[in-house]
Amino acid sequence: MTIVDLSTINWIPALKAVQCQESPSLLKRAGTEKLREVFQKYASLQKDGEHYMTSEDFVRKFLGLFTEAAFNDESVRLLAGIADTSKDGLISFSEFQAFEGLLCAPDALYRTAFQLFDRQGNGNVSYADFADVVQKTELHSKVPFSLDGTFIKRYFGEKKQRLINYAEFTQLLHDFHEEHAMEAFRSKDPAGTGFISPLDFQDIIVKVKRHLLTPDVKDNLVAVTEGHRVSFPYFIAFTSLLNNMELIKQVYLHASKGSRTETVTKNELLYAAQTMSQITPLEIDILFQLTGAVNHPGRIDYSDLSNIAPEHYTKHITHRLAEIKAVDSPNDRSALIQVLEATYRFTLASFAGATGATVVYPIDLVKTRMQNQRTGSMIGEIAYRNSWDCFKKVIRHEGVLGLYRGLLPQLMGVAPEKAIKLTVNDFVRDKFTDKRSNIPVWGEVLAGGCGGAAQVIFTNPLEIVKIRLQVAGEIAGGSKISALSVVRELGFFGLYKGAKACLLRDVNFSAIYFPTYAHVKASLADKDGYNSPISLLAAGAIAGIPAASLVTPADVIKTRLQVAARAGQTTYTGLWDATKKIMAEEGPRAFWKGTAARVCRSSPQFGVTLFTYELLQRLFYVDFGGNQPKGSQGNKSAIGLDSTLSTAQARPDHIGGYNAAVPLLAGIESKFGLYLPRFGRGGVAVPTTAGSATSS
């Protein structure tokens, strides 16, 4: 019998992304008419003028589960029975709509599980109902649970005639799995010695707690025992540790003062756990045994905890529009894959750069004109009192389109410019990032500086053409010039005039910006390390403030070198000559001209650029086996790690609460360890992952 492993679906993230009701962060329920339209699309049976869904209509056609020809009929009927409250084998529209509402409840997972066990539809679970469902699970077939034992009698009474209501059922379901583990231990220790062998320990954990195991833990179950017999206290502490890993993560964050990269010792973690009585010293010992078996012993950081426990809280900002797995594991990263990864990043960064540049271009034009405005060299030359005055005069004399002078060459150049900056920064960061996904600050600074240096190849020609077009409108009655005429006038080498100043500006800007962005982004992440789109935008904008302001002097010098001097204006022969003359003629304040406009331009531009860049990586996800942007999501699943809910395409008909239907059904298995048979007729089938259980 082959089992559908819906636990490989990362169900909690999707739940958090699709909860319903009126809160602005939750999804609204589907409208009645739209829901009726979806219902009638799948309802294949008509009786007494009413349409009904059969079990197969609901589970296989609508939800997209058990789509193989040899599907298990009983499992399909069990799942359909969750929505079929009348238990007549048919789902009416009122039942379909009621279940959509239930999926929006804050305790939808437990309520869905309750309706699975409420076989009679009377709002209670009897012993017969409970036993019937449990006996159909794969866990019971491998590790039989005593349905006549004291645990069952404590809940259903000595004669097992007591009915369990919803609130009581939630506790029963919670306790049942722990009792199952203890009963499995007793079955391996018939003599009552209080010990089992390492292989028996592995067998129990793999069968009873498989929904909590990552490959790292599963592969080291015997190694962690160091060949010694496993005592009952050790066994209980181990299972408790697996159940409480989210609490362990909070203890770690308390010990590391909120850092996810700081390593902590066993003593530091023990000290932090003192106020949390659920975490025992034995559990801490086992934790360090596990991390020592998986990585290096002695100290742990957050990535160690993630390696031994699923990231249950992962959130998705939206459904992925595309998802490709280029390699099966990081070990398969060939040179070709790395080239494809760089190409992928370059393409997305091009779109992101163009978006950011378009949004802030009017601010950039004002900044350029303010920086080019000189004092002391010509009488009556001051045209603008401040940035706002410049903005108003441009609109008055040149129209709104005047704010976008030079945008076309900017867009033609900004795509490769920003793309090369982001791609090189990511590439160098990858080289300095260790196996724990940590990178030293000096590595971040060097990566940013390399990105800034690489972009000058594209930046300098772009900047000099853009600047000459932007200042052209300052001369009343002057002849119109085009980007092509500027290029012809300057020639190839002329396009790199001021390159030293450009290099001075861009290297320092990127060396400041990217490390600042990474740390601000981490500080704005929620307690689970996830960055919402708003936090990405804010992090990008905040990081741009110090980066843009501190390199303004280099930007002023670059602008003076690249602008064609008019009659009577001071000319400059190079970087040092411009620095001396500006200081002598205009004083130190001249080096900070346009700082406000530069910050107002660079801060939102890079905020929009990085926001778009990371958002595109989430929407068009490609796994090249390398590092993904931190804060985007935690893709760890309970087992297998090769199939999650996001591997299946979301169905357009899963509207309102039904966005949560498949992850909730998966949650019944991955949360409570209740696995239903997938195949049951037609022939022998091989085990597959949940991704193939869902329609693509």
Side-chain angles (χ1 to χ4, degrees):
M1 178 171 62
T2 306
I3 306 303
V4 54
D5 189 359
L6 287 177
S7 70
T8 58
I9 293 177
N10 200 351
W11 57 275
I12 290 182
L15 278 186
K16 290 189 176 181
V18 297
Q19 291 180 42
C20 308
Q21 299 301 337
E22 300 301 325
S23 169
S25 64
L26 305 179
L27 207 64
K28 291 177 63 177
R29 286 195 57 183
T32 300
E33 291 308 313
K34 182 63 177 175
L35 205 59
R36 188 185 299 277
E37 181 182 328
V38 171
F39 174 79
Q40 292 182 344
K41 180 178 177 180
Y42 292 92
S44 65
L45 186 65
Q46 189 170 359
K47 189 167 90 173
D48 299 329
E50 294 291 332
H51 290 86
Y52 295 90
M53 276 187 180
T54 64
S55 296
E56 290 190 34
D57 290 338
F58 182 70
V59 176
R60 302 186 70 219
K61 297 178 182 178
F62 175 62
L63 295 180
L65 301 172
F66 296 86
T67 55
E68 296 79 8
F71 70 94
N72 187 284
D73 295 283
E74 185 60 32
S75 294
V76 169
R77 284 196 294 271
L78 277 173
L79 292 180
I82 297 173
D84 177 19
T85 54
S86 63
K87 308 302 178 184
D88 60 358
L90 299 175
I91 299 172
S92 65
F93 174 71
S94 59
E95 289 173 323
F96 184 76
Q97 187 176 38
F99 186 54
E100 189 262 344
L102 180 145
L103 292 170
C104 295
D107 56 346
L109 176 64
Y110 277 96
R111 290 195 176 276
T112 303
F114 178 72
Q115 294 199 181
L116 174 67
F117 281 85
D118 180 13
R119 304 299 305 282
Q120 308 305 315
N122 56 13
N124 292 294
V125 174
S126 67
Y127 165 76
D129 294 335
F130 185 78
D132 184 42
V133 175
V134 167
Q135 288 172 334
K136 288 182 171 65
T137 63
E138 184 252 5
L139 178 59
H140 183 78
S141 68
K142 290 184 176 181
V143 185
F145 183 81
S146 175
L147 294 169
D148 292 318
T150 56
F151 174 81
I152 292 296
K153 291 178 180 178
R154 281 197 297 268
Y155 274 95
F156 292 99
E158 184 67 27
K159 296 182 179 181
K160 294 178 283 190
Q161 294 179 346
R162 184 173 180 272
L163 299 179
I164 301 295
N165 62 30
Y166 167 69
E168 295 169 330
F169 171 81
T170 60
Q171 193 62 42
L172 165 64
L173 202 56
H174 176 273
D175 295 343
F176 168 70
H177 215 269
E178 302 315 307
E179 182 68 22
H180 205 153
M182 289 189 284
E183 191 163 302
F185 184 95
R186 289 192 290 268
S187 71
K188 298 291 186 180
D189 180 30
T193 63
F195 289 92
I196 57 175
S197 71
L199 291 178
D200 285 339
F201 169 73
Q202 180 188 45
D203 186 59
I204 294 173
I205 297 299
V206 168
K207 289 177 179 177
V208 179
K209 294 291 184 181
R210 79 178 197 184
H211 57 291
L212 297 178
L213 301 181
T214 59
D216 285 334
V217 175
K218 186 177 180 181
D219 293 342
N220 288 281
L221 288 173
V222 174
V224 78
T225 68
E226 299 178 346
H228 303 305
R229 290 191 304 164
V230 177
S231 67
F232 182 72
Y234 186 96
F235 176 81
I236 293 299
F238 191 94
T239 58
S240 177
L241 177 68
L242 294 181
N243 291 331
N244 292 317
M245 279 308 299
E246 293 307 310
L247 182 57
I248 291 286
K249 290 172 184 175
Q250 297 307 311
V251 174
Y252 162 81
L253 291 173
H254 178 70
S256 65
K257 297 180 175 57
S259 171
R260 291 171 178 266
T261 58
E262 185 73 25
T263 58
V264 300
T265 65
K266 183 191 294 186
N267 287 337
E268 290 170 336
L269 202 64
L270 278 169
Y271 183 79
Q274 283 186 124
T275 57
M276 302 179 181
S277 58
Q278 300 95 326
I279 308 300
T280 66
L282 179 54
E283 291 176 54
I284 299 295
D285 286 341
I286 295 172
L287 174 66
F288 274 80
Q289 287 176 347
L290 267 177
T291 55
V294 173
N295 292 307
H296 300 291
R299 304 181 72 93
I300 63 171
D301 66 7
Y302 197 88
S303 65
D304 292 317
L305 304 181
S306 296
N307 285 335
I308 65 173
E311 295 281 1
H312 283 313
Y313 46 70
T314 306
K315 302 179 215 176
H316 292 286
I317 54 173
T318 183
H319 291 298
R320 286 173 176 165
L321 299 181
E323 179 167 359
I324 300 173
K325 191 172 181 64
V327 294
D328 292 327
S329 72
N331 296 330
D332 298 330
R333 276 172 61 83
S334 63
L336 176 61
I337 290 296
Q338 294 184 54
V339 170
L340 291 175
E341 182 179 38
T343 304
Y344 161 78
R345 288 174 173 174
F346 190 94
T347 303
L348 297 188
S350 298
F351 284 104
T355 302
T358 302
V359 169
V360 300
Y361 191 80
I363 303 174
D364 186 46
L365 181 135
V366 171
K367 183 269 304 181
T368 299
R369 293 200 178 182
M370 287 299 299
Q371 288 182 340
N372 187 52
Q373 181 169 268
R374 313 179 189 203
T375 57
S377 59
M378 288 184 68
I379 298 175
E381 190 182 352
I382 298 178
Y384 315 118
R385 294 190 300 272
N386 50 48
S387 297
W388 177 241
D389 182 56
C390 177
F391 180 80
K392 291 189 295 183
K393 286 181 177 178
V394 170
I395 294 179
R396 183 187 311 148
H397 299 296
E398 304 170 51
V400 175
L401 292 180
L403 293 171
Y404 290 92
R405 274 181 178 267
L407 176 61
L408 183 59
Q410 171 80 340
L411 292 182
M412 291 174 62
V414 81
E417 173 206 337
K418 290 297 183 290
I420 197 70
K421 179 201 286 271
L422 292 171
T423 303
V424 171
N425 173 70
D426 284 349
F427 177 79
V428 179
R429 281 183 71 93
D430 287 347
K431 298 305 177 184
F432 289 110
T433 301
D434 60 24
K435 293 181 179 179
R436 293 178 169 181
S437 298
N438 298 329
I439 180 173
V441 174
W442 64 265
E444 293 182 290
V445 173
L446 183 59
C450 289
Q455 84 170 86
V456 173
I457 298 171
F458 296 96
T459 301
N460 211 83
L462 164 72
E463 287 280 317
I464 195 167
V465 173
K466 180 195 71 173
I467 286 171
R468 297 208 173 188
L469 289 174
Q470 286 180 336
V471 300
E474 293 181 324
I475 306 173
S479 60
K480 291 183 179 284
I481 63 172
S482 65
L484 185 60
S485 65
V486 173
V487 172
R488 286 174 176 170
E489 177 188 345
L490 292 171
F492 178 78
F493 292 105
L495 291 173
Y496 285 92
K497 186 177 182 181
K500 290 181 180 178
C502 197
L503 199 65
L504 181 66
R505 181 197 66 175
D506 290 340
V507 169
N508 287 304
F509 177 92
S510 297
I512 296 170
Y513 180 82
F514 286 109
T516 305
Y517 171 73
H519 290 274
V520 173
K521 174 183 164 185
S523 69
L524 294 179
D526 64 17
K527 66 182 182 66
D528 300 321
Y530 171 78
N531 282 103
S532 66
I534 293 298
S535 72
L536 294 177
L537 186 62
I542 292 171
I545 295 173
S549 58
L550 292 175
V551 300
T552 298
D555 193 44
V556 170
I557 295 170
K558 177 196 70 67
T559 299
R560 295 292 181 90
L561 288 171
Q562 292 180 334
V563 171
R566 295 193 288 272
Q569 287 185 329
T570 302
T571 58
Y572 310 109
T573 59
L575 182 66
W576 180 239
D577 180 61
T579 303
K580 290 189 296 181
K581 288 179 178 178
I582 293 172
M583 174 65 77
E585 295 177 3
E586 304 173 59
R589 293 185 63 180
F591 289 106
W592 301 98
K593 279 186 176 184
T595 299
R598 176 169 169 75
V599 169
C600 289
R601 190 268 295 178
S602 295
S603 177
Q605 178 181 4
F606 276 87
V608 171
T609 299
L610 269 294
F611 161 80
T612 306
Y613 182 53
E614 294 211 18
L615 199 62
L616 287 173
Q617 290 184 78
R618 296 183 186 186
L619 289 170
F620 302 96
Y621 179 84
V622 181
D623 182 6
F624 291 99
N627 296 314
Q628 296 294 331
K630 287 188 176 181
S632 59
Q633 61 216 4
N635 264 339
K636 298 241 180 215
S637 59
I639 186 170
L641 297 181
D642 58 349
S643 178
T644 64
L645 179 62
S646 58
T647 61
Q649 295 293 324
R651 293 194 166 193
D653 290 333
H654 292 178
I655 60 176
Y658 278 109
N659 279 285
V662 172
L664 267 170
L665 295 177
I668 292 175
E669 299 192 340
S670 63
K671 176 72 172 178
F672 307 124
L674 302 171
Y675 301 90
L676 295 176
R678 176 173 178 179
F679 298 101
R681 73 178 188 191
V684 179
V686 294
T688 57
T689 61
S692 56
T694 351
S695 176
S696 59

